[in-house]
Structure formats: C-alpha cells, structure tokens
Amino acid sequence: MDQVEEVKSKADIVEIVSSYIPLKKSGRNFSGLCPFHGEKTPSFMVSSERQVFKCFGCGEGGDVITFLEKIEGWEFREALEELAKKVGVKLKNTKPTAAGRQKEKLLKINSLVGKFYSYLLLKHKAGERAREYLLKRGIKESTWVKYGLGYSPNSWDQAYSFLKKKGFDDVDIASSGMIIARQGTKRGYYDRFRDRLVFPIRDKKGDTVGFSARTLVDAVDQPKYVNSSETVIFHKGSLLFGLDVAKEAIRQKGECFLVEGEFDVLSSFQAGVENVVASKGTALTDMQIALVARFCETLILGLDADFAGDKAARRGIEIMDKAGLNIKVMGMNGFKDPDEFARKDADKFKKAYIGASNVYDYYLESITSRFDSA
C-alpha cells in the first residue's frame, strides 16, 4: 500500500466532511447541503462504505482528498499533507511543489511584516499616534496584542526595504501584495499601507494571509480602509476577521456573533462577547457562511442600525438559510453599530446579545415600527 492509500484508508470521509457541513443519516449514506453550490434541498451525498462524496446537483464528487482540495482550495500535495497530519501518518519524501513553496514564501512575508507593524505599534515612537487613536476609541493594549494589531509607518518604502533586507526579491514582495509598482517614468515600488492602523487577516489556522488598514484621520481624498490585493493566499470573500481568536468560543457556545467591521469585533470582545467575527463590511459570501457553519449552527447578526433595509444583508440571510443555520438578529437599541453600543453600555450590549430575536420576527417588528411611525 502506498502512502496516499494509507492516508485515505485511515481517514473517515464522513468525519472530515461533517467538520465542514452538517450531515444527516440518509439510508446507507449521509446527506447535506452542497458546499460547492447554493441549494435548499440536500443533493450532496457521502458514502461511508465507499468513502466518496457526490453532489447530484452540481456534479462535484470524489474521495476525501478531492473534497479537501475543492473546499480549501488546496493542491493535491497540500491536501494530502494536512490529511496525513490529521490521521497520524508521517509522509516520506514530503518535498513541496513549486506552488506549495510559493504559498510558504508569501505566508512568511506576511508573518514578518505583521510582526514589523506590531512592533511599531507597541514599542516604537512612530506608532504613538496610532496608540493614542486606539486608546481614544476605548481599545485596550491587551486587545491590540490579542488580535495582532500594528501600525504601518508614514513612509513610502519602509516595509519594502524591511523585506529586501530579509532576503526577498521584488517578484515575491509584489506577489504578496505588500507593494505597488510606480507608474510613469519613475520606476520602482512603494508600500501599499502607509500611516495606517493595520489589522492582520488570518485564516482559521492562524496564518496571516493579508491585511486591512485604516486611516488615523478620516479624509475625503483617501479611502478609510485599504485591503491587501487578491493573492494565491488572500481571498477576501472566503475570510472572516477574528476567526482565529474566536473559533474556540464559537465551538463552546454553539453560536457565532457576526458583525461588519474590525472595531465592532474589538469592542464586542472587550464587552465579553468573545465568539465574534467580522465580514469586513462586504456582502456575505457562500464561503464565509460555510466557514461559520463548520463551527456552529446558530448565527447572531450584530449589523449596523440600517440593517433591516439593506438588500445585501437580506441576500446574505438567504445564503445563511440555505446553509441550515439558525439566524438571529441583535437590536442596536438606538446605537449606530456594535462598536458604539459596546463602548457606551457594555451591560446593555450583552443583554441585547443574549436577547437576540429570530431574524423573521425582527423583520416583522421592523416593518411594523416603520409602518406605525409613518
């Protein structure tokens, strides 16, 4: 038996798949909603006897390694290595592929830059304005450390120079999305993030795959937030800010508190709601909802006060419903967002979280209140 077959023989596809999506016994097989396309009626089947999966809706199918390749976006070797770790098989000749080496290089770049930014925020004089900004917004230093916050200096090329000194070439640094090529006759690169508060975006394993950076002073001539560009390791629509910190609390509580922005996460965490993640202010995607569904069955939405009239939010709820999640909504009690609510009245905030309404009850109440006030 070769090592691929050894790994597959020791893995239980039902156990692996059910860690991503809920499965129910269906005769001799197991069924669930397909994670690869939207559906309301389960057409995704997993066979314990044959150790394969098949979706009769979209046609996807294969063995346990194929499943991991598709749901995680891994190449074959990466899926095999992760599965081998899970089942306790030590692989021989584990030389990574070219694509695997590139991913490792980009993860190393992000890790080093994240530590560089964190050092500037926590200990360097250059980060003083950022420290003052966070304290003014009520965010404690222990929280900065917990979430790995940092500060990108007010310079055109400090991160670029830092990475060059660490031995990385221009191609790799550019591939990481940390720098932008200059336009016109002036050649070279400049840093993507300059004079900004930096939030590392980590995957569920805790690896830094990208960044989001906020201005310290709001201005009309620049965006409030700048994100990493899409790379082979950073796909904004498949990530949730704070999941690496919150995943154990989500598992323990059986529910996830979903908010929009980074400060909503930080303030909620400080108010005692630790099972909190952020969608980064974008319309929710299938991948983000599938990610949450791996850890819990209940999703509590703590969205901005204008949530009830937001078409994008309603589309997100349709995705959650298809994923089989129990959906609730926390009222804002007159506050504009969870960040303001948690900072102004933490006790009332926690009570509102505990008393979150079923999403459809919330909609009915919202429609009735608007009708009565008209």
Side-chain angles (χ1 to χ4, degrees), residues 3 29 43 50 86 107 123 203 208 248 352 355 358 371:
Q3 287 209 292
N29 300 316
S43 60
R50 299 176 60 197
K86 193 178 291 288
L107 288 173
K123 299 183 178 180
D203 61 19
T208 300
E248 290 307 318
N358 176 277
F371 180 80

Side-chain angles (χ1 to χ4, degrees), residues 85-99:
K85 290 177 190 174
K86 193 178 291 288
V87 299
V89 175
K90 188 172 183 179
L91 296 176
K92 302 171 185 176
N93 302 320
T94 56
K95 185 178 180 180
T97 62

Side-chain angles (χ1 to χ4, degrees), residues 267-281:
S267 296
S268 298
F269 177 85
Q270 289 188 168
V273 179
E274 298 183 358
N275 55 323
V276 57
V277 299
S279 63
K280 295 285 296 110

Side-chain angles (χ1 to χ4, degrees), residues 1-116:
M1 180 186 296
D2 66 23
Q3 287 209 292
V4 174
E5 290 304 317
E6 181 185 3
V7 170
K8 287 163 59 175
S9 70
K10 292 187 176 182
D12 180 359
I13 192 171
V14 174
E15 180 183 342
I16 299 297
V17 173
S18 63
S19 69
Y20 289 88
I21 61 171
L23 293 177
K24 292 183 179 179
K25 195 81 169 76
S26 179
R28 297 170 66 180
N29 300 316
F30 292 81
S31 66
L33 295 172
C34 180
F36 307 120
H37 82 285
E39 61 178 11
K40 290 188 176 180
T41 303
S43 60
F44 184 85
M45 307 297 292
V46 182
S47 170
S48 179
E49 292 178 9
R50 299 176 60 197
Q51 287 293 300
V52 296
F53 73 93
K54 175 69 177 180
C55 177
F56 293 93
C58 67
E60 293 285 3
D63 60 22
V64 64
I65 294 179
T66 309
F67 178 81
L68 290 173
E69 287 179 288
K70 292 183 180 301
I71 201 158
E72 292 284 6
W74 291 337
E75 57 179 16
F76 177 82
R77 190 72 198 182
E78 191 174 6
L80 177 63
E81 288 173 353
E82 290 298 324
L83 188 58
K85 290 177 190 174
K86 193 178 291 288
V87 299
V89 175
K90 188 172 183 179
L91 296 176
K92 302 171 185 176
N93 302 320
T94 56
K95 185 178 180 180
T97 62
R101 289 194 298 271
Q102 179 66 4
K103 286 184 178 181
E104 287 300 317
K105 197 174 289 185
L106 298 189
L107 288 173
K108 182 66 173 176
I109 287 173
N110 282 349
S111 176
L112 287 170
V113 172
K115 290 175 182 177
F116 172 61

Side-chain angles (χ1 to χ4, degrees), residues 73-286:
W74 291 337
E75 57 179 16
F76 177 82
R77 190 72 198 182
E78 191 174 6
L80 177 63
E81 288 173 353
E82 290 298 324
L83 188 58
K85 290 177 190 174
K86 193 178 291 288
V87 299
V89 175
K90 188 172 183 179
L91 296 176
K92 302 171 185 176
N93 302 320
T94 56
K95 185 178 180 180
T97 62
R101 289 194 298 271
Q102 179 66 4
K103 286 184 178 181
E104 287 300 317
K105 197 174 289 185
L106 298 189
L107 288 173
K108 182 66 173 176
I109 287 173
N110 282 349
S111 176
L112 287 170
V113 172
K115 290 175 182 177
F116 172 61
Y117 287 158
S118 181
Y119 168 77
L120 292 181
L121 174 65
L122 293 170
K123 299 183 178 180
H124 199 278
K125 185 178 179 181
E128 187 173 350
R129 285 176 58 246
R131 293 192 289 272
E132 291 174 352
Y133 175 83
L134 283 166
L135 292 172
K136 186 178 179 180
R137 292 198 61 159
I139 308 302
K140 302 172 185 176
E141 184 175 335
S142 58
T143 306
W144 314 348
V145 175
K146 186 81 172 177
Y147 286 88
L149 272 57
Y151 169 71
S152 58
N154 189 13
S155 163
W156 285 100
D157 62 0
Q158 278 199 28
Y160 173 58
S161 298
F162 169 76
L163 289 169
K164 291 289 285 186
K165 289 176 182 177
K166 292 293 183 180
F168 296 99
D169 61 31
D170 289 352
V171 174
D172 290 328
I173 301 173
S175 296
S176 74
M178 294 305 306
I179 56 175
I180 300 172
R182 294 183 184 276
Q183 301 296 314
T185 57
K186 199 170 183 180
R187 301 180 65 182
Y189 299 91
Y190 61 91
D191 291 352
R192 180 177 296 275
F193 308 118
R194 304 180 306 280
D195 192 27
R196 286 176 177 265
L197 180 66
V198 178
F199 302 86
I201 309 299
R202 296 165 174 157
D203 61 19
K204 64 181 183 298
K205 294 188 292 184
D207 291 327
T208 300
V209 295
F211 299 92
S212 179
R214 193 199 191 284
T215 56
L216 297 177
V217 179
D218 294 345
V220 295
D221 61 342
Q222 59 179 317
K224 185 182 291 186
Y225 282 90
V226 173
N227 299 308
S228 290
S229 59
E230 291 280 313
T231 70
V232 296
I233 61 172
F234 181 75
H235 307 287
K236 185 180 176 184
S238 64
L239 297 161
L240 293 164
F241 173 73
L243 182 61
D244 57 305
V245 174
K247 61 184 180 182
E248 290 307 318
I250 294 171
R251 280 198 184 101
Q252 290 173 12
K253 291 179 178 293
E255 60 190 30
C256 176
F257 184 43
L258 179 65
V259 297
E260 289 190 37
E262 290 89 347
F263 277 98
D264 294 322
V265 169
L266 303 182
S267 296
S268 298
F269 177 85
Q270 289 188 168
V273 179
E274 298 183 358
N275 55 323
V276 57
V277 299
S279 63
K280 295 285 296 110
T282 60
L284 287 166
T285 67
D286 289 346

Side-chain angles (χ1 to χ4, degrees), residues 351-369:
K351 288 178 182 177
Y353 169 80
I354 294 169
S357 306
N358 176 277
V359 65
Y360 300 108
D361 291 339
Y362 176 86
Y363 270 130
L364 287 172
E365 290 170 9
S366 176
I367 291 169
T368 302
S369 65

